C-alpha cells in the first residue's frame, strides 16, 4: 500500500457496497484504456468478480478534446456474481468536458462524478459544444460532484522532476487512478508492478507515473475531498488458477490449443480489420506453436490462403469482421463444396457497410447461416462470453475436422475487447481433436464418405497413390470427377445438408437455466449471455418462472430445441439486431416467439431485458 | 521425390484419366503436353506436385494432370497457392491462370504473389480474349478490339504481362509461345528450377474467339523475323539469315542489319539479371521490333515461404515447442483458494 503520513487525519469511515459500476472516460490520448485495465487488475487482486467494457473511438488520434475522440473503459466489480460490465454507472471519472458530455447520461442519479476541473476551460468547453460550463449552470446538481484538480495536482506531484508539460500531462490518468483506487479501497501494488514492468526501459516515465499514482492515492487519504471511502468485499469465487482474458485472445489460443491437440500446424490467413486484428496479432507471437500467420493482401486472399493451407493438411483459420465476410463469401462456398475444414471467424461489428467498426452487433447471423449463393449450408457456432471464445474456437476446429466442413465462428466486438476472469482449464481436460489423413490407396475415392459423419477423406498432398483433383465444379457423388448429371447434383446438395444434420449428434443436450417448462423462456446466442443471465437470475430469485437457454450451435440447431420451445407459454429472443435468430426459430419451429431488439452498437443493459421480462410476465 | 526416384517417370504418368475438354485446335493442348513432358525431367514426384488454378479455359488444367490439383475460384489461385506453399514448403506448387483470371479479376493476387517471391511456378496463358465466357475482350486485348462486349472497339489500354511482373520485381520472368514445343519445354524447365516466383507468359492461340492473335509470330515464313529468341550472355540476333540485331542508340533500342561495319559486338547482349534491360525488352513490340521470347529476367532473392518457415523454426529453437498449458497460464494469473 502507498505510504501515507499516519495520523494527519482521523481514519475516514468505510462504506460497504456489494457492487459498483465505474467508467473512466477521457480523450483518446488520455490513457483511459490503460487506466481501466489497471483498475480491473486491482479489483481482481481485491478478490472481486469483474466485468469490463472498453469503448474506444474508431479514430486513432482524433483531435484533442472533441466529442468523437472520447475513449472510455467501464468496470463492474462486485462481491456477488458478475455477468456483465454493468448497466448504469455508480461512478464516472471524466478527464475533459467532451468525456462528460458523451458519458453523463449513463450516470445514476446521485452517482459519483469525478472530473478534472482545470480541463473545463473555455477552449475545451467549446470543443465539447458546451455553451456554458456545466460546473456553473447547476446541471450537475443531481450528482455527487467532485471537481478534482487532477492536472494541477499531477503537475505539483512531478514538479521536482522538471519534465516537459507534455510528459506531465501523460501522467494524469495515473493520478486519477490513484484517487479512485483510494476511494474504493483498491490495492495499488498491481499497478505499481505493471508500471515498473511496462516502463522498465524508461525510468523517467516509470518514476513519473508511479509518483502520480501515489499522489492521487494520498490525495484521497489525506484530504477532506471525500467524506468516506467504499469497500467491496471479495466475492465467493470457485477456487483455482485464474487469468483475465479478452475474447480475441481467448479465440486465438483456442485455435492454437485445438491445432496442438490435433498435432497439426495452424495457419491463419487474415487481413487487418477492426475488431478482429488482435487475433492476428496474438497468433503472430505464437510461432513456436507451429503457427503460420499470413497477413494477406485482402480479405479474399486471407481466406484463399487459408483454404490452400487446409488443402495441404493444416488447421486453417481466417478472421474478419462483417464487411470482410462479404468478400470471403465466394471462397466460403468453394470450401463448402470441396469439403475441407476451415474456420471462418466473424468478429461482428455494427453494419451495414463500414457502419460503426468499433461497436458490437449481432447482425451477421443470417449472413453466416445463408449468405452464400447456391445451397451451401455450414455449421455456425457462437461464443457467449470473452473466456467462452476459447471453447467456441476450439469446438469450431473440432467440428470442422471431424465433419470435413468449413465452420463459421461468430463472436463480436464486445466479446473481442471485453475481459473477464477465467478459471483456466487444463489441456488434458480438453476434448480430443482427431485427424486421420487417408493414406491407403485401396478403394480410395475423393468423395467416399464416412458413414457416421458423412465426411469425405482428408488427404495430404505428398501421399503417394492418392493424387486427386478438387474444385468448385459440381462433382460426382463418389469419384469427385466433374459431373453435370441432374440427379447427381441433387444428390450432392442433399448429402451436404444431411452432413449438417449429422452434426447434431455432437451437440450435447441443451442446458436450461431454470424450470424445464413454464411461463417464459428466454433464448439468446452470443454476447447477450451475460445480460440475459443477470436479468433471469433476478426473476428466479423472486421465484418467477423464467428460464434461459443460450445457443452455442446456430446451425445445426440442437435436436432437442423444438421440444423445449413447445414447453413454454412465451418465448423471448433478445438480440442486438432486428430479430435474426427470432426469424430462424419462427421458421424452423413455427413458434410465436417475440424479439427484444437493440441496435445501438452497445450491449443490452440488464435493466432493458428485465423490463421486457416483467412486461411479458404481466401480460 | 524420394519415393519415385528409383523408377523413372514418363510423360504418361502425368496424364490424368479425365477427358480433355478444350476446343479442338486450342493452344492449351500443346501447353499441357509440354508440361507433362517436362515433369519427369525436373525431378519431382506426382504426389509432391500440386496444380492450382482459378477460372477460365486455362484453369481446367489441373484436372488433366495426374498430380494433386485444386481448381479454385476466379482470380484467386495465387492466394490459395501461397497458403499451400507456405504451409507445405515440401511441395512443388504450380499456378495455371489466364489473361483474364490473372490480370483482370486476379491482378491483385498475382501482384502480391510475385512481389512476395513465393516459390510458385505461375503459367499465364495469354490469348488476349475471354474464352470461357465466349469472346469478350480481355485486359491484354489490343486497344480498339472489337468483341461482343465492345462492338465499337475496346477503349482501354492493354496491360503488358511482362512489364507488370517487372513492375513488382518478380524474380523470374519469361515468355514463350504455345506452338514452339522445344522453346516451351526449355522455359518451363527453367521456371521449374528457379527458386522463387517464376512467372511465365505463354502466348496461346484461341482459335475460336481470337484466332491468329499471334499469327505473325508463328507463321513459318515470318517467325524468324518476328521472334527475338533471348539467350543469356548472347547478343540479340534474329532474322532468317541471322543478320539482324538489336542495338542501343542512346537510351533507345533500334533494329540494325549486320554488315557495313556493324558486327555482333555492337549489339545488345542479354543479361537476365539486369532489370533495366528487362524493361526495355518487355516493351519491344511488333511491327517495329521482333517479339522477345525467352527468359527476360532471372534473379535470386529470399522466398516468402522460406522466410516464413525460418521464422517458425527460429521461434521453436528459441522458445521450444509450444506448450498449451504454459500458454493458458501466461500473463497475469492468480490463484483463488
Amino acid at each position: 500500500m502507498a505510504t501515507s503520513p499516519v495520523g494527519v487525519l482521523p481514519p475516514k469511515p468505510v462504506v460497504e457496497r456489494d457492487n459498483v459500476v465505474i467508467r473512466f472516460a477521457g480523450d483518446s490520448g488520455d490513457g483511459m484504456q490503460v487506466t481501466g485495465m489497471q483498475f480491473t487488475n486491482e479489483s481482481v487482486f481485491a478478490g472481486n468478480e469483474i466485468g469490463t467494457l472498453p469503448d474506444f473511438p474508431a479514430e486513432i488520434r482524433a483531435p484533442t478534446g472533441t466529442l468523437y475522440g472520447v475513449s472510455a473503459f467501464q468496470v463492474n466489480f462486485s462481491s456477488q456474481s458478475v455477468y456483465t460490465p454493468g448497466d448504469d454507472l455508480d461512478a464516472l471519472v471524466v478527464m475533459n468536458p467532451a468525456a462528460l458530455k458523451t458519458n453523463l447520461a449513463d450516470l445514476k442519479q446521485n452517482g459519483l462524478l469525478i472530473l478534472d476541473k482545470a480541463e473545463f476551460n473555455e477552449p475545451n468547453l467549446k470543443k465539447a459544444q458546451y455553451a456554458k460550463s456545466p460546473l456553473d449552470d447547476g446541471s450537475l446538481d443531481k450528482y455527487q460532484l467532485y471537481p478534482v484538480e487532477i492536472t494541477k495536482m499531477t503537475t505539483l506531484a512531478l514538479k521536482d522532476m522538471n519534465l516537459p508539460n507534455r510528459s506531465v500531462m501523460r501522467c494524469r490518468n495515473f493520478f486519477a487512478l490513484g484517487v479512485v483506487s483510494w476511494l474504493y479501497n483498491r490495492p495499488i501494488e498491481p499497478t505499481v508492478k505493471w508500471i515498473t514492468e511496462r516502463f522498465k526501459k524508461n525510468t523517467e516515465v516509470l518514476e513519473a507515473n508511479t509518483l502520480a499514482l501515489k499522489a492521487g492515492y494520498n490525495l484521497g487519504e489525506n484530504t477532506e475531498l471525500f467524506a468516506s471511502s467504499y469497500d467491496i468485499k471479495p466475492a465467493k469465487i470457485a477456487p483455482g488458477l485464474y487469468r483475465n482474458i479478452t475474447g480475441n485472445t481467448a479465440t486465438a489460443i483456442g485455435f492454437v490449443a485445438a491445432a496442438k491437440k490435433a498435432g497439426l500446424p495452424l495457419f491463419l490467413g487474415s487481413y487487418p480489420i477492426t475488431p478482429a486484428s488482435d487475433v492476428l496479432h496474438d497468433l503472430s507471437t505464437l510461432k513456436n506453436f507451429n503457427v503460420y500467420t499470413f497477413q494477406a493482401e485482402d480479405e479474399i486472399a486471407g481466406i484463399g490462403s487459408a483454404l490452400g493451407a487446409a488443402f495441404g493438411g493444416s488447421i486453417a483459420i481466417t478472421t474478419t469482421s462483417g464487411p470482410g465476410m462479404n468478400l470471403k463469401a465466394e471462397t466460403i462456398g468453394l470450401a463448402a463444396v470441396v469439403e475441407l475444414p476451415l474456420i471462418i471467424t466473424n468478429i461482428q461489428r455494427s453494419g451495414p457497410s463500414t457502419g460503426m467498426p468499433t461497436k458490437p452487433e449481432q447482425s451477421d447471423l443470417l449472413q453466416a447461416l445463408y449468405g452464400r449463393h447456391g445451397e451451401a449450408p455450414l455449421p455456425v457456432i457462437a461464443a457467449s462470453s470473452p473466456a467462452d471464445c476459447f471453447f467456441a474456437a476450439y469446438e469450431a476446429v473440432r467440428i470442422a475436422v471431424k465433419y470435413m466442413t468449413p465452420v463459421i465462428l461468430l463472436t463480436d466486438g464486445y466479446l473481442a475487447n471485453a475481459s473477464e476472469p477465467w478459471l483456466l482449464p487444463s489441456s488434458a481436460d480438453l476434448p480430443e481433436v482427431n485427424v486421420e489423413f487417408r493414406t491407403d490407396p485401396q478403394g480410395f475415392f475423393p468423395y467416399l464418405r464416412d458413414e457416421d459423419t458423412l465426411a469425405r477423406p482428408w488427404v495430404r498432398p505428398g501421399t503417394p497413390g492418392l493424387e486427386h483433383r478438387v474444385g468448385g465444379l459440381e462433382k460426382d457423388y463418389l469419384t469427385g470427377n466433374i459431373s453435370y448429371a441432374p440427379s447427381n447434383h441433387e444428390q450432392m446438395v442433399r448429402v451436404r445438408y444431411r452432413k449438417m444434420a449429422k452434426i447434431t449428434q455432437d451437440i450435447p443436450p441443451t442446458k436450461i437455466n431454470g424450470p424445464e417448462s413454464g411461463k417464459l423462456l428466454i433464448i439468446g446466442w452470443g454476447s447477450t449471455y451475460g445480460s440475459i443471465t443477470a436479468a433471469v437470475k433476478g426473476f428466479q430469485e423472486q421465484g418467477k418462472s423464467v428460464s434461459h437457454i443460450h445457443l452455442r450451435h446456430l446451425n445445426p440447431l440442437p435436436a432437442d430445441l423444438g421440444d423445449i420451445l413447445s414447453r413454454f407459454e412465451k418465448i423471448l429472443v433478445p438480440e442486438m439486431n432486428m430479430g435474426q435468430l427470432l426469424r430462424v426459430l419462427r421458421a424452423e419451429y413455427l413458434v410465436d416467439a417475440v424479439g427484444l431488439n437493440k441496435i445501438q452498437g452497445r450491449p443490452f443493459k440488464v435493466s432493458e431485458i428485465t423490463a421486457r421480462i416483467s412486461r411479458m410476465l404481466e401480460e | 521425390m524420394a519415393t519415385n526416384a528409383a523408377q523413372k517417370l514418363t510423360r504418361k504418368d502425368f496424364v490424368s484419366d479425365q477427358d480433355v475438354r478444350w476446343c479442338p485446335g486450342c493452344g492449351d493442348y500443346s501447353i499441357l503436353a509440354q508440361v507433362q513432358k517436362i515433369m519427369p525431367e525436373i525431378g519431382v514426384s506426382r504426389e509432391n506436385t500440386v496444380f492450382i488454378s482459378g477460372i477460365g479455359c486455362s484453369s481446367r488444367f489441373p484436372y488433366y494432370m495426374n498430380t494433386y490439383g485444386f481448381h479454385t475460384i476466379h482470380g484467386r489461385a495465387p492466394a490459395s497457392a501461397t497458403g499451400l506453399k507456405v504451409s507445405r514448403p515440401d511441395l512443388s506448387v504450380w499456378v495455371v491462370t489466364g489473361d483474364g483470371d490473372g490480370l483482370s479479376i486476379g491482378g491483385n493476387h498475382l501482384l502480391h504473389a510475385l512481389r512476395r517471391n513465393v516459390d510458385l511456378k505461375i503459367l499465364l496463358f495469354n490469348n488476349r480474349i475471354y474464352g470461357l465466357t465466349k469472346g469478350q475482350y480481355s485486359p491484354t486485348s489490343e486497344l480498339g478490339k472489337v468483341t461482343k462486349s465492345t462492338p465499337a472497339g475496346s477503349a482501354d489500354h492493354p496491360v503488358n504481362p511482362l512489364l507488370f511482373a517487372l513492375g513488382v520485381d518478380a524474380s523470374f520472368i519469361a515468355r514463350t509461345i504455345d506452338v514452339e514445343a522445344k522453346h516451351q519445354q526449355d522455359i518451363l524447365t527453367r521456371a521449374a528450377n528457379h527458386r522463387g516466383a517464376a512467372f511465365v507468359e505463354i502466348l496461346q492461340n484461341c482459335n475460336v474467339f481470337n484466332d491468329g492473335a499471334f499469327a505473325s509470330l508463328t507463321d513459318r515464313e515470318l517467325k524468324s523475323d518476328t521472334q527475338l529468341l533471348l539467350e543469356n550472355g548472347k547478343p540479340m540476333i534474329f532474322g532468317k539469315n541471322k543478320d539482324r540485331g538489336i542495338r542501343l542508340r542512346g537510351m533507345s533500342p533500334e533494329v540494325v542489319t549486320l554488315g557495313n561495319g556493324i558486327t555482333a559486338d555492337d549489339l545488345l547482349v542479354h543479361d537476365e539479371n539486369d532489370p533495366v534491360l528487362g524493361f526495355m525488352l518487355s516493351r519491344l513490340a511488333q511491327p517495329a521490333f521482333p517479339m522477345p521470347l525467352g527468359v527476360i529476367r532471372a534473379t535470386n532473392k529470399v522466398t516468402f515461404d522460406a522466410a516464413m518457415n525460418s521464422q517458425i523454426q527460429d521461434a521453436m529453437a528459441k522458445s521450444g515447442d509450444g506448450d498449451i498449458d504454459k500458454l493458458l497460464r501466461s500473463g497475469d494469473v492468480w490463484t483463488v483458494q
Side-chain angles (χ1 to χ4, degrees):
Chain A
M1 194 91 11
T3 49
S4 60
V6 179
V8 175
L9 288 168
K12 290 181 187 175
V14 177
V15 178
E16 213 166 287
R17 287 277 165 85
D18 284 344
N19 190 81
V20 170
V21 180
I22 186 168
R23 186 185 295 167
F24 299 89
D27 198 70
S28 55
D30 281 342
M32 291 297 95
Q33 301 303 316
V34 165
T35 310
M37 282 188 274
Q38 287 316 306
F39 189 79
T40 304
N41 259 353
E42 293 178 0
S43 297
V44 161
F45 275 80
N48 295 133
E49 283 233 356
I50 53 161
T52 68
L53 178 64
D55 182 18
F56 40 80
E59 289 76 11
I60 304 302
R61 285 278 182 270
T64 314
T66 54
L67 293 169
Y68 50 90
V70 173
S71 170
F73 194 103
Q74 183 170 323
V75 186
N76 182 5
F77 55 108
S78 177
S79 59
Q80 313 292 319
S81 294
V82 163
Y83 302 102
T84 74
D87 284 8
D88 294 334
L89 306 173
D90 298 297
L92 173 63
V93 181
V94 296
M95 305 299 280
N96 67 10
L100 179 70
K101 188 155 208 177
T102 48
N103 289 279
L104 189 62
D106 296 329
L107 183 61
K108 285 178 185 165
Q109 194 155 347
N110 206 37
L112 244 65
L113 175 59
I114 298 171
L115 52 80
D116 186 0
K117 199 175 170 191
E119 290 292 304
F120 282 69
N121 53 33
E122 199 65 38
N124 280 351
L125 288 165
K126 201 173 161 197
K127 274 188 250 180
Q129 296 164 23
Y130 276 115
K132 61 193 230 196
S133 173
L135 299 183
D136 305 330
D137 65 2
S139 63
L140 302 178
D141 288 353
K142 58 180 172 177
Y143 309 104
Q144 298 179 54
L145 178 64
Y146 294 99
V148 183
E149 293 286 10
I150 295 174
T151 300
K152 283 187 188 162
M153 302 292 283
T154 308
T155 310
L156 265 178
L158 305 182
K159 165 169 81 35
D160 293 344
M161 291 188 70
N162 291 317
L163 297 172
N165 186 47
R166 195 178 139 84
S167 305
V168 173
M169 291 300 279
R170 285 201 173 154
C171 298
R172 290 163 69 232
N173 61 327
F174 281 104
F175 185 91
L177 177 60
V179 172
V180 179
S181 297
W182 177 84
L183 187 61
Y184 290 103
N185 274 288
R186 311 279 93 183
I188 60 170
E189 286 82 0
T191 302
V192 173
K193 192 179 151 211
W194 182 86
I195 293 172
T196 309
E197 185 61 27
R198 174 75 177 75
F199 299 109
K200 62 184 169 201
K201 287 188 181 145
N202 190 340
T203 48
E204 199 171 69
V205 177
L206 190 162
E207 192 188 338
N209 279 328
T210 310
L211 270 178
L213 176 74
K214 291 184 175 174
Y217 193 93
N218 291 340
L219 180 81
E221 182 89 0
N222 301 328
T223 68
E224 289 178 1
L225 183 62
F226 301 103
S228 59
S229 68
Y230 299 90
D231 191 29
I232 293 83
K233 291 266 176 277
K236 286 194 202 80
I237 298 174
L241 191 63
Y242 282 80
R243 165 185 185 180
N244 204 25
I245 197 149
T246 65
N248 272 351
T249 298
T251 302
I253 64 177
F255 288 141
V256 175
K260 201 75 188 163
K261 203 82 166 181
L264 294 178
L266 180 74
F267 182 98
L268 169 72
S270 186
Y271 186 74
I273 184 169
T274 302
S277 306
D278 279 342
V279 179
L280 168 62
H281 303 159
D282 281 0
L283 286 174
S284 67
T285 66
L286 300 174
K287 291 187 168 46
N288 65 316
F289 286 80
N290 208 4
V291 172
Y292 294 87
T293 52
F294 173 50
Q295 182 179 316
E297 58 269 27
D298 61 20
E299 295 280 358
I300 297 170
I303 188 173
S305 61
L307 187 57
F311 182 72
S314 293
I315 299 295
I317 312 290
T318 188
T319 49
T320 189
S321 189
M325 285 299 280
N326 291 25
L327 289 164
K328 293 184 195 299
E330 189 186 9
T331 310
I332 298 174
L334 175 64
V337 295
V338 295
E339 300 187 44
L340 282 168
L342 168 68
I343 319 302
I344 303 108
T345 312
N346 177 0
I347 298 159
Q348 299 166 99
R349 64 191 219 187
S350 299
S353 192
T354 308
M356 301 193 288
T358 58
K359 311 296 177 198
E361 209 160 83
Q362 298 184 300
S363 46
D364 300 343
L365 175 61
L366 292 180
Q367 180 198 44
L369 292 171
Y370 310 119
R372 291 163 292 285
H373 70 276
E375 296 284 358
L378 292 184
V380 178
I381 287 174
S384 59
S385 77
D388 186 55
C389 289
F390 174 88
F391 298 103
Y394 194 96
E395 173 74 351
V397 174
R398 198 184 66 82
I399 295 289
V401 298
K402 180 170 178 181
Y403 291 91
M404 288 294 284
T405 177
V407 173
I408 294 181
L409 172 64
L410 295 175
T411 78
D412 64 36
Y414 164 46
L415 296 179
N417 295 311
S419 66
E420 65 178 350
W422 181 29
L423 177 58
L424 291 167
S426 155
S427 70
D429 300 336
L430 298 171
E432 290 303 318
V433 181
N434 291 317
V435 173
E436 268 183 55
F437 292 113
R438 169 110 190 188
T439 54
D440 183 6
Q442 200 63 41
F444 166 73
F445 290 104
Y447 278 76
L448 181 68
R449 292 172 191 276
D450 179 272
E451 279 180 24
D452 286 339
T453 61
L454 294 177
R456 76 175 189 90
W458 196 3
V459 182
R460 280 178 97 239
T463 311
L466 296 184
E467 295 83 2
H468 67 282
R469 278 66 58 190
V470 294
L473 288 165
E474 186 60 283
K475 45 199 71 50
D476 179 81
Y477 187 77
L478 180 65
T479 64
N481 292 331
I482 302 169
S483 169
Y484 283 24
S487 62
N488 179 74
H489 176 53
E490 180 156 338
Q491 192 181 17
M492 287 301 272
V493 168
R494 287 184 184 277
V495 77
R496 290 190 284 257
Y497 266 90
R498 281 214 314 281
K499 184 160 90 168
M500 291 305 112
K502 286 276 186 190
I503 296 172
T504 51
Q505 69 197 8
D506 270 67
I507 304 177
T510 303
K511 211 177 97 199
I512 306 176
N513 169 23
E516 299 275 311
S517 63
K519 178 113 175 141
L520 178 61
L521 175 68
I522 320 293
I523 305 185
W525 67 279
S527 69
T528 53
Y529 175 80
S531 309
I532 298 176
T533 303
V536 167
K537 188 168 173 247
F539 288 95
Q540 289 176 345
E541 281 169 359
Q542 299 165 36
K544 302 270 173 62
S545 172
V546 180
S547 301
H548 170 206
I549 60 178
H550 213 74
L551 298 176
R552 143 98 70 234
H553 293 266
L554 281 315
N555 192 47
L557 291 162
D560 58 3
L561 186 58
D563 180 50
I564 293 170
L565 297 184
S566 70
R567 302 200 298 256
F568 289 87
E569 287 172 40
K570 292 181 180 178
I571 297 165
L572 174 67
V573 188
E575 293 180 89
M576 290 155 63
N577 59 39
M578 288 294 283
Q580 300 196 3
L581 176 64
L582 176 71
R583 188 174 287 253
V584 172
L585 294 176
R586 290 176 67 99
E588 290 288 325
Y589 301 105
L590 298 174
V591 290
D592 192 16
V594 297
L596 171 62
N597 307 100
K598 179 174 183 178
I599 315 101
Q600 299 177 10
R602 283 184 161 194
F604 277 105
K605 289 180 178 179
V606 178
S607 59
E608 292 164 340
I609 297 173
T610 301
R612 184 56 184 268
I613 292 176
S614 291
R615 266 196 5 243
M616 287 185 79
L617 290 175
E618 282 158 20
E619 276 163 10
Chain B
M1 295 166 207
T3 21
N4 287 6
Q7 66 210 74
K8 173 87 170 142
L9 298 176
T10 67
R11 189 187 88 83
K12 277 194 162 170
D13 291 308
F14 287 90
V15 177
S16 81
D17 60 354
Q18 298 298 293
D19 292 336
V20 182
R21 301 192 196 186
W22 289 311
C23 308
C26 175
D28 290 356
Y29 283 94
S30 165
I31 305 172
L32 176 64
Q34 308 324 318
V35 171
Q36 288 168 335
K37 183 116 196 267
I38 65 139
M39 280 287 141
E41 311 299 328
I42 59 173
V44 291
S45 62
R46 286 192 330 215
E47 68 267 20
N48 282 322
T49 304
V50 184
F51 277 81
I52 300 189
S53 63
I55 295 292
C57 294
S58 61
S59 289
R60 293 293 183 100
F61 200 92
Y63 291 112
Y64 311 137
M65 293 294 298
N66 193 9
T67 62
Y68 284 92
F70 197 174
H71 180 211
T72 71
I73 50 179
H74 208 6
R76 320 302 176 195
S80 290
T82 298
L84 179 62
K85 182 63 192 182
V86 164
S87 59
R88 291 293 308 280
D90 54 317
L91 300 173
S92 170
V93 182
W94 296 66
V95 171
V96 179
T97 184
D99 41 321
D101 189 60
L103 290 167
S104 190
I105 190 167
N108 189 31
H109 307 301
L110 184 58
L111 182 169
H112 293 284
L114 292 177
R115 63 105 182 159
R116 287 189 183 111
N117 200 31
V118 189
D119 188 14
L120 303 171
K121 314 303 149 205
I122 302 172
L123 314 182
L124 186 140
F125 300 5
N126 183 8
N127 57 16
R128 294 186 175 166
I129 200 76
Y130 279 41
L132 200 63
T133 51
K134 301 198 172 96
Q136 302 82 7
Y137 78 113
S138 94
T140 56
S141 295
E142 58 278 19
L143 184 66
K145 183 84 173 170
V146 174
T147 71
K148 272 183 199 161
S149 60
T150 50
S154 62
D156 36 336
H157 300 275
V159 60
N160 175 327
L162 302 183
L163 282 174
F164 173 83
L166 276 161
V168 298
D169 211 16
S171 62
F172 181 95
I173 302 164
R175 181 196 273 149
T176 183
I177 188 162
D178 54 4
V179 295
E180 301 286 354
K182 182 68 178 61
H183 190 262
Q184 248 195 90
Q185 290 164 24
D186 291 347
I187 296 300
L188 291 170
T189 304
R190 283 285 310 272
N193 292 332
H194 175 74
R195 254 185 76 75
F199 177 74
V200 183
E201 179 194 19
I202 307 175
L203 304 177
Q204 172 250 325
N205 191 44
C206 172
N207 58 320
V208 175
F209 294 109
N210 201 19
D211 196 23
F214 308 107
S216 63
L217 286 178
T218 54
D219 185 284
R220 279 179 193 285
E221 290 302 310
L222 296 175
K223 71 177 189 183
S224 45
D225 286 324
T226 55
Q227 294 182 357
L228 175 63
L229 296 168
L230 299 171
E231 281 186 81
N232 198 30
K234 299 275 174 66
M236 297 178 192
I237 296 176
F238 66 104
K240 202 177 284 176
N241 304 318
K242 301 276 177 205
D243 60 350
R244 303 174 76 194
I246 308 290
R247 183 172 76 171
L248 205 59
R249 186 185 197 140
M251 296 290 280
S252 304
E254 62 175 357
V255 172
V256 292
T257 304
L258 296 176
N260 293 328
I262 300 176
T263 69
D265 292 344
D266 296 314
L267 302 181
L268 269 171
V269 173
H270 186 39
D271 178 359
E272 294 172 351
N273 212 10
D274 181 351
V276 178
L277 193 63
F279 269 99
M280 192 276 285
L281 285 170
S282 301
R283 295 190 69 90
L284 297 187
Q286 292 181 277
F289 290 96
M291 187 86 151
L293 297 176
V295 177
I296 305 287
R297 175 159 163 77
T299 189
N300 283 316
K301 53 182 180 180
V302 177
T303 68
F304 181 68
D305 39 292
M308 293 277 277
N309 278 283
S310 69
Q311 284 188 1
I312 288 183
Q313 281 148 18
D314 291 351
M316 283 188 171
K318 192 174 160 221
S319 315
D321 191 8
D323 178 312
I324 286 301
D325 285 304
K326 271 194 204 151
L327 175 62
L328 286 167
R329 282 150 187 68
S330 59
D332 273 338
V333 296
W334 68 93
T335 303
V336 173
Q337 301 294 344

